[in-house]
């Protein structure tokens, strides 16, 4: 996935996430207030405990001890209830905040330019949609809210230690100094290793997705061994990078921990000496031990947090970059088809810049005529069809329908007017009715029935106990290739577009099924303009004219029946003797 | 099932979506804590170096010391034992405060540290005013 030049840092990542936080401001404020209250309690409790110890141990003042103990208990009970409320907010935010980011990403995915999506890995997009928004939430909770609270608490602990004795306070602050120093030294390396780890994981997820979807092909090609070796290689690579990142991070943490340990020994020694000399009570000593332990934990947490933040910023960066990926243009002019004539004028297009696949294609499909488009695999037949529905834009030339330039029309209006049937028919997990309604959401029951009858699905549907409400797809009944094609034809009936494109729709069917589908085609093609991309002569013979594409250009056109006799190219393409 | 759904809706409405319960909870806690920490009182003690001879303690000080509670604490080493005695009599003259203890005291003699209860302060003052110290 491409990255934009706009690199996010900690602050700009917060700026990016602010728009999503705005909708949940109230909840984030409650969440923060709760954690702040919890943090303040964490400072208060050891002080209360210290007072209890002093009153009980030195002065045997059990009345005071009991009273303070009750206040201590009150704080503990409050803390328990507070956690319950906090985690309720956390659960809500985790779902809703994450959902709002996912919704944006998904919405953008629907609008992304086909060219951009063609280069994107499915696995990476899945990870972007599912995992990265969760990391955004973790960033806010751990790298913002917890970080701010921990900094506040570190300041309070440090201030208390300084108030007790400036020697102890200064020594405690040394641990903060060393932590910051170690962080600055290790940050770059840890950051770049973390970035490498995330990229490797994204690439691995993409590869894994493609392997899982192609398992049958792998078995047919007897490629299990090679795939396993590649799997092990990728796992080792992930492990290597993960280990390097982990070692770097652990080294930094251990260095911080070691410096903290030395400072802790100094502080404990100093405090113990002061207590032994009577300059400090046991209660104060307890508080110092507790506060310093917490202070060093906070400093370690803040250091680790700083490193984690860099990692999470890279996830936010990916979401940020994806949301800036080019989308299909928005136009206001609506395509209105009166007759359905299509013209390509000097159209050139290539997927890679500098290597045109289609070179100055000029052809016209008159309204109501059926044009077959044939040629060797990779000559650009499907590309031409995709240009017609606006998935790509020609680099040169113009496409017009009834004289209206396609590049001036809103793409949703273009797709409303064109029916596209491919070899792989999309079957949603749902009922037959729901799948048919994809053609026309507002179709009445009678229209549905007429559509599936015309498509030749009546015997199949009427044989099912639940009829149109039968569940199909991965969670229900599977459909054969022919049934799927008939489903696609029924959708076309319901949609009733003026222009139809059949893109190798019957390539995977046996001859008998194909013939039956062709019967259904004849009905649906009546009065419509059609572009039929085919590798089979039987599909071509249904059409009024045939175009042969070769080397990115129109090599030949003619009437199919005549070309079958007179055209060497035609006869070679269809292996006619 | 109906009951479960009703509970789920109630939970979402009052525990999650509405800030009222949360704010009330925080407010009640802070209120109760403020009241409790203002009601709970602790002794405020002043520390002096002194000499003890039998039942009499002599403290050299610039002015008369006020005994809020007729009780003093004293010790040689606080971490060993702190003694607490009721005061029979206290008098100030010539820059020396003399305190006579009730009951026989024979365990300590010589230089000691005395803590006199000079007043009371609330737990709130002890925590936020004195960082927990007496």
């Amino acid at each position: 996935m491409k990255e934009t030049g706009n690199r996010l840092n900690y602050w700009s990542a917060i700026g990016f996430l602010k728009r999503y936080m705005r909708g949940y401001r109230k909840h984030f404020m409650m969440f923060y207030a709760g954690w702040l209250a919890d943090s303040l309690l964490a400072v208060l409790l050891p002080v209360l405990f210290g007072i209890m110890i002093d009153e009980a141990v030195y002065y045997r003042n059990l009345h005071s001890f009991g009273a303070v103990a009750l206040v201590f208990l009150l704080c503990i009970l409050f803390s328990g209830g507070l956690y319950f409320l906090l985690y309720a907010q956390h659960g809500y935010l985790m779902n809703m905040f994450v959902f709002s980011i996912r919704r944006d990403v998904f919405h953008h995915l629907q609008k992304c330019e086909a060219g951009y999506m063609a280069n994107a890995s499915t696995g990476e997009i899945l990870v972007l949609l599912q995992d990265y928004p969760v990391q955004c939430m973790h960033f806010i909770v751990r790298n913002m809210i917890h970080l701010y609270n921990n900094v506040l608490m570190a300041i309070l602990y440090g201030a208390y230690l300084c108030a007790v004795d400036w020697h102890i306070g200064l020594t405690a602050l040394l641990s903060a100094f060393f932590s910051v120093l170690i962080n600055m030294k290790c940050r770059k390396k840890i950051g770049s290793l973390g970035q490498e780890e995330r990229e490797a994981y994204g690439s691995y997820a993409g590869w894994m997705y493609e392997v899982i979807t192609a398992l049958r092909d792998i078995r047919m090609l007897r490629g299990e061994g090679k795939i396993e070796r590649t799997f092990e290689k990728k796992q080792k690579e992930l492990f290597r990078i993960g280990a390097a990142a982990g070692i770097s991070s652990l080294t930094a943490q251990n260095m911080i921990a070691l410096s903290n340990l030395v400072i802790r020994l100094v502080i404990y020694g100093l405090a113990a000496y002061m207590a032994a000399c009577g300059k400090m009570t046991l209660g104060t000593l307890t508080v110092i031990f507790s506060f310093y332990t917490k202070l060093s934990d906070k400093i370690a947490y803040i250091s680790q947090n700083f490193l984690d933040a860099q990692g999470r910023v890279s996830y936010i960066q990916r979401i940020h970059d994806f949301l800036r990926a080019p989308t299909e243009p928005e136009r206001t002019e609506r395509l209105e088809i009166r007759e359905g004539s299509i013209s390509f004028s000097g159209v050139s297009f290539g997927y890679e810049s500098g290597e045109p696949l289609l070179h100055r294609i000029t052809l016209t499909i008159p309204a109501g005529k059926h044009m077959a488009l044939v040629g060797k695999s990779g000559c650009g037949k499907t590309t031409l069809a995709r240009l017609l529905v606006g998935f790509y834009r020609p680099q040169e030339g113009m496409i017009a329908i009834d004289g209206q330039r396609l590049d001036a029309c809103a793409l949703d209006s273009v797709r409303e007017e064109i029916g596209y049937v491919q070899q792989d028919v999309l079957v949603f997990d749902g009922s037959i009715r729901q799948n048919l309604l994809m053609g026309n959401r507002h179709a009445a029951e009678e229209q549905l029935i007429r559509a599936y009858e015309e498509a030749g699905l009546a015997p199949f549907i009427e044989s099912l106990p639940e009829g149109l409400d039968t569940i199909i797809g991965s969670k229900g009944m599977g459909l054969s290739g022919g049934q799927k094609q008939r489903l696609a034809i029924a959708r076309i009936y319901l949609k009733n577009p003026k222009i139809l494109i059949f893109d190798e729709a019957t390539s995977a069917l046996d001859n008998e099924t194909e013939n039956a589908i062709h019967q259904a085609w004849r009905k649906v093609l009546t009065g419509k303009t059609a572009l039929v991309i085919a590798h089979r002569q039987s599909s071509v013979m249904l059409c009024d004219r045939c175009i042969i594409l070769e080397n990115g250009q129109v090599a030949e056109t003619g009437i199919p029946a005549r070309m079958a006799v007179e055209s060497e190219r035609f006869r070679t393409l269809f292996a006619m003797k | 099932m109906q009951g479960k759904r009703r509970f789920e809706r109630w939970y979402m409405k009052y525990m999650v979506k509405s800030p009222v319960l949360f704010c009330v909870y925080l407010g009640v806690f802070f209120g109760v804590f403020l009241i409790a920490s203002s009601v709970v009182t602790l002794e405020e003690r002043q520390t002096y170096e002194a000499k003890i001879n039998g039942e009499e303690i002599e403290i050299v000080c610039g002015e008369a010391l006020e005994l809020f509670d007729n009780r003093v604490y004293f010790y040689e080493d606080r971490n060993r034992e702190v003694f607490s005695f009721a005061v029979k009599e206290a008098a100030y003259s010539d820059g020396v405060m003399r305190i006579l203890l009730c009951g026989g005291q024979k365990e300590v003699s010589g230089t000691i540290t005395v803590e006199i209860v000079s007043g009371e302060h609330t737990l709130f003052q002890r925590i936020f005013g004195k960082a927990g110290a007496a």
Side-chain angles (χ1 to χ4, degrees):
Chain A
M1 220 176 296
K2 287 181 193 162
E3 291 186 357
T4 66
N6 190 10
R7 300 296 307 167
L8 295 180
N9 57 25
Y10 179 83
W11 300 109
S12 51
I14 294 174
F16 171 71
L17 291 175
K18 251 194 206 161
R19 69 174 115 159
Y20 298 106
M21 290 169 73
R22 256 183 229 125
Y24 305 97
R25 205 179 292 149
K26 186 174 60 178
H27 298 281
F28 275 113
M29 280 171 63
M30 281 196 278
F31 191 64
Y32 181 72
W35 278 114
L36 184 63
D38 182 68
S39 303
L40 292 173
L41 264 183
V43 176
L44 181 68
L45 286 174
V47 174
L48 283 173
F49 194 67
I51 295 170
M52 282 160 63
I53 287 178
D54 283 346
E55 292 300 315
V57 170
Y58 293 122
Y59 308 103
R60 291 182 210 100
N61 200 336
L62 295 181
H63 178 262
S64 297
F65 172 85
V68 177
L70 276 173
V71 177
F72 186 86
L73 185 66
L74 171 75
C75 293
I76 298 280
L77 288 172
F78 165 74
S79 185
L82 182 64
Y83 275 117
F84 183 78
L85 290 170
L86 275 176
Y87 281 106
Q89 289 300 320
H90 182 263
Y92 178 75
L93 284 169
M94 184 60 99
N95 281 309
M96 300 309 293
F97 175 75
V98 169
F99 168 70
S100 63
I101 299 178
R102 280 188 181 142
R103 184 178 49 196
D104 247 17
V105 170
F106 191 76
H107 182 71
H108 196 84
L109 180 70
Q110 302 264 60
K111 292 190 169 305
C112 262
E113 270 188 359
Y116 179 89
M117 291 308 296
N119 291 329
S121 151
T122 311
E124 277 192 53
I125 291 174
L126 272 173
V127 164
L128 184 84
L129 195 54
Q130 286 302 114
D131 293 349
Y132 293 2
V134 174
Q135 293 299 328
C136 292
M137 181 65 187
H138 288 326
F139 178 83
I140 291 170
V141 172
R142 296 177 196 172
N143 301 109
M144 282 175 65
I145 292 171
H146 285 333
L147 178 66
Y148 301 158
N149 276 348
N150 284 321
V151 167
L152 174 69
M153 286 166 76
I155 291 169
L156 288 174
Y157 291 141
Y160 178 87
L161 292 172
C162 288
V164 168
D165 184 85
W166 69 269
H167 300 96
I168 291 175
L170 208 60
T171 315
L173 291 174
L174 272 177
S175 68
F177 170 74
F178 282 121
S179 295
V180 168
L181 194 66
I182 292 164
N183 252 324
M184 283 171 67
K185 290 279 180 197
C186 301
R187 180 178 53 144
K188 220 174 184 174
K189 186 172 183 193
I190 293 172
S192 72
L193 282 171
Q195 173 74 8
E196 199 185 335
E197 191 180 14
R198 278 174 289 284
E199 280 171 6
Y201 181 75
S203 160
Y204 165 77
W207 175 83
M208 183 55 84
Y209 177 83
E210 276 143 21
V211 163
I212 289 169
T213 50
L215 276 175
R216 266 183 283 199
D217 296 312
I218 292 166
R219 281 183 203 167
M220 289 310 299
L221 292 166
R222 307 292 301 276
E224 293 99 321
K226 184 174 190 303
I227 292 296
E228 266 194 50
R229 284 192 292 279
T230 309
F231 173 77
E232 281 180 20
K233 189 176 160 195
K234 285 190 180 283
Q235 285 286 327
K236 281 179 185 164
E237 183 63 15
L238 274 179
F239 176 77
R240 183 192 67 76
I241 298 169
I247 287 168
S248 275
S249 178
L250 274 172
T251 305
Q253 283 177 54
N254 285 340
M255 282 164 66
I256 291 168
L258 184 65
S259 72
N260 281 347
L261 181 66
V262 169
I263 291 166
R264 186 191 298 254
L265 288 172
V266 170
I267 288 176
Y268 285 6
L270 205 56
Y273 171 74
M274 289 176 74
C277 292
K279 292 179 185 169
M280 189 184 294
T281 64
L282 265 180
T284 308
L285 190 70
T286 312
V287 176
I288 286 173
F289 285 179
S290 171
F291 272 23
Y292 183 72
T293 304
K294 290 183 184 194
L295 176 64
S296 61
D297 285 346
K298 295 305 162 208
I299 290 169
Y301 180 89
I302 292 166
S303 309
Q304 184 56 39
N305 203 298
F306 187 68
L307 299 169
D308 281 348
Q310 302 211 27
R312 292 205 177 95
V313 166
S314 75
Y315 291 126
I316 298 168
Q317 177 83 59
R318 285 181 181 275
I319 293 178
H320 171 269
D321 290 344
F322 181 75
L323 291 176
R324 275 152 183 75
T327 53
E328 290 185 333
E330 289 193 18
R331 303 173 191 135
T332 50
E333 192 178 322
R334 311 291 298 171
L335 175 68
E336 281 173 26
I337 299 181
R338 296 174 304 278
E339 289 156 8
S341 66
I342 303 168
S343 65
F344 292 81
S345 308
V347 168
S348 295
F349 176 81
Y351 290 104
E352 305 290 335
S353 60
E355 294 176 28
L357 178 63
L358 299 170
H359 188 67
R360 294 185 174 276
I361 301 269
T362 297
L363 65 92
T364 303
I365 306 172
K369 296 294 180 190
H370 312 142
M371 185 78 82
L373 187 61
V374 301
K376 289 183 187 163
S377 294
C379 70
K381 306 185 292 294
T382 298
T383 305
L384 201 69
R386 287 180 181 167
L387 285 168
L388 185 58
V389 290
F391 283 138
Y392 300 101
R393 273 175 284 182
Q395 280 133 9
E396 269 183 43
M398 183 194 72
I399 304 170
I401 297 177
D402 283 348
Q404 236 183 317
R405 288 181 67 120
L406 224 59
D407 55 11
C409 298
L411 289 171
D412 62 323
S413 68
V414 170
R415 291 161 194 165
E416 237 172 63
E417 299 288 357
I418 300 178
Y420 199 120
V421 181
Q422 300 178 95
Q423 185 179 322
D424 291 322
V425 176
L426 184 62
V427 176
F428 288 100
D429 288 344
S431 63
I432 297 176
R433 184 194 305 281
Q434 287 165 333
N435 272 274
L436 286 172
L437 285 171
M438 290 301 297
N440 179 359
R441 280 192 298 275
H442 307 292
E445 191 73 4
E446 304 79 49
Q447 288 173 291
L448 280 180
I449 294 168
R450 184 154 181 267
Y452 75 64
E453 279 174 351
E454 293 292 342
L457 272 172
F460 168 65
I461 290 174
E462 285 159 13
S463 71
L464 298 169
E466 288 175 43
L468 278 173
D469 296 316
T470 309
I471 302 296
I472 57 174
S474 64
K475 291 185 181 150
M477 179 186 271
L479 297 181
S480 68
Q483 286 165 340
K484 286 181 186 173
Q485 281 300 318
R486 290 184 190 281
L487 181 72
I489 290 166
R491 283 177 181 156
I492 293 290
Y493 263 112
L494 289 166
K495 189 177 180 180
N496 196 26
K498 289 255 182 12
I499 295 174
L500 292 170
I501 301 173
F502 289 91
D503 187 354
E504 298 187 36
T506 56
S507 296
L509 303 178
D510 60 85
N511 288 342
E512 192 184 329
T513 310
E514 191 189 28
N515 286 337
I517 296 295
H518 284 165
Q519 296 302 319
W521 276 18
R522 283 197 178 88
K523 291 182 196 174
V524 84
L525 282 171
T526 309
K528 308 229 189 277
T529 309
L531 183 66
V532 177
I533 298 168
H535 278 303
R536 288 211 181 155
Q537 193 184 349
S538 54
S539 299
V540 175
M541 301 314 279
L542 289 178
C543 298
D544 302 308
R545 287 193 75 83
C546 175
I547 300 167
I548 301 177
L549 278 187
E550 200 173 275
N551 297 325
Q553 291 179 309
V554 174
E556 225 176 299
T557 68
I559 297 168
R562 215 175 278 168
M563 288 173 91
V565 173
E566 295 169 359
S567 166
E568 192 54 42
R569 277 196 185 90
F570 189 95
R571 293 169 66 80
T572 309
L573 263 174
F574 295 108
M576 294 169 73
K577 293 200 171 93
Chain B
M1 196 63 154
Q2 278 278 46
K4 195 178 171 190
R5 288 249 165 86
R6 213 177 296 142
F7 173 72
E8 283 169 7
R9 278 198 291 271
W10 179 90
Y11 182 88
M12 280 304 292
K13 189 175 176 186
Y14 293 107
M15 298 290 276
V16 178
K17 286 188 177 172
S18 166
V20 171
L21 188 70
F22 189 89
C23 294
V24 164
Y25 187 77
L26 274 184
V28 163
F29 168 72
F30 280 116
V32 169
F33 177 79
L34 275 172
I35 292 169
S37 60
S38 301
V39 161
V40 169
T41 54
L42 301 165
E43 290 173 345
E44 194 171 357
R45 301 175 201 104
Q46 301 292 333
T47 308
Y48 301 95
E49 294 296 315
K51 281 191 165 61
I52 188 166
N53 187 6
E55 289 165 11
E56 190 177 80
I57 297 174
E58 284 180 0
I59 307 168
V60 175
C61 50
E63 54 185 12
L65 303 173
E66 213 168 299
L67 273 68
F68 175 80
D69 186 11
N70 258 356
R71 176 165 292 281
V72 292
Y73 301 93
F74 61 88
Y75 47 85
E76 283 179 310
D77 179 352
R78 182 160 51 180
N79 293 321
R80 277 183 148 179
E81 192 166 359
V82 174
F83 300 94
S84 168
F85 275 85
V87 171
K88 193 193 278 181
E89 215 179 295
Y92 177 78
S93 67
D94 300 326
V96 176
M97 183 83 185
R98 288 184 177 78
I99 297 169
L100 196 63
L101 303 172
C102 288
Q105 193 289 117
K106 291 171 182 128
E107 290 165 48
V108 182
S109 66
T111 307
I112 56 167
T113 306
V114 174
E115 288 189 16
I116 290 172
V117 180
S118 57
E120 274 186 343
H121 53 208
T122 62
L123 178 62
F124 188 90
Q125 287 168 319
R126 177 82 162 257
I127 296 168
F128 298 104
K130 293 167 179 274

